Amino acid sequence: MQLHYYPGTAAMIPHILLEELGVPYERVLVDRVQNKHKEPAYLRLNPNGLIPVLTDGDLVLYETAAIVLHLCDTHPQAGLAPAVGTPQRAHFYKWLIWMASTLQPTLSAYFYPERWVSEGNTEAAAQVKARAREKATGLLAQLDDLVARNGGPWVDGPRYSALDCYAFTLCRWTRNFPEGKARELPNLGPYLQRMSERPALQRVFAAEQISAPLF
């Protein structure tokens, strides 16, 4: 398998998962600073020009949640997702898709508000950015409540799962928010600290050359 990645992006999610699985894979750096994700070679893998992409033999996958599900389904022995067909699996799907389709796009709107307004409309971009941060505050509160409700130490309660790879990465994106950082919430703060101490996370930090603040 090959993970096409750039440090600190959504590619960190499958990167953590691969390290947790302990399976052989190769990291392929896609230099976003040099717009390598917009070049023809990469667009043949993902025509949307987004990171990450996972290649597994002849299989080429983009969309982070799809990559997560593929890795969980092809490595069921790792127990990083509940058994298919169970209520626990249904809730796993719910929170995975919530992170991918609700929380992640909200954070993306905060970081890239210009994508949602007419070119050069800085006032509208500022409004999008402010509204996205307000919405993110409420969504992070939901995640904080989930950790509390399930009793920790992980998102799904006592069982570490692929949801934790997703939750940590998205929460990490808030580390430089002027206010409303995930680490400031009563349950997410200790949760993120626990996550950062996992050996798999330590290896990802080293490989991606992630420096403080880690989250």
Side-chain angles (χ1 to χ4, degrees), residues 25 71 143 199:
Y25 73 98
L71 291 173
L143 190 57

Side-chain angles (χ1 to χ4, degrees), residues 182-213:
R183 67 172 181 263
E184 296 172 348
L185 292 173
N187 300 290
L188 283 180
Y191 163 79
L192 294 170
Q193 182 61 45
R194 289 191 294 273
M195 280 291 297
S196 71
E197 294 168 356
R198 291 184 68 87
L201 262 291
Q202 294 292 323
R203 293 192 294 272
V204 170
F205 293 150
E208 298 195 10
Q209 298 182 331
I210 299 296
S211 57

Side-chain angles (χ1 to χ4, degrees), residues 6 11 17 19 25 43 46 55 79 90 111 187:
Y6 186 80
L17 186 53
E19 287 294 332
Y25 73 98
L43 292 175
N46 184 352
T55 56
F111 290 111
N187 300 290

Side-chain angles (χ1 to χ4, degrees), residues 2 4 30 40-48 53 55 60-62:
Q2 290 184 323
H4 299 255
V30 182
Y42 189 79
L43 292 175
R44 284 193 289 271
L45 298 175
N46 184 352
N48 303 299
V53 164
T55 56
V60 178
L61 269 184
Y62 50 87

Side-chain angles (χ1 to χ4, degrees), residues 57-111:
D58 293 331
L59 177 66
V60 178
L61 269 184
Y62 50 87
E63 298 299 332
T64 304
I67 294 172
V68 167
L69 287 170
H70 171 69
L71 291 173
C72 289
D73 289 347
T74 52
H75 302 86
Q77 72 283 356
L80 292 177
V84 174
T86 63
Q88 293 80 11
R89 181 72 170 213
H91 284 294
F92 174 87
Y93 288 142
K94 176 184 70 177
W95 286 108
L96 179 68
I97 300 308
W98 179 85
M99 291 183 201
S101 65
T102 301
L103 179 55
Q104 185 174 345
T106 300
L107 294 173
S108 294
Y110 172 83
F111 290 111

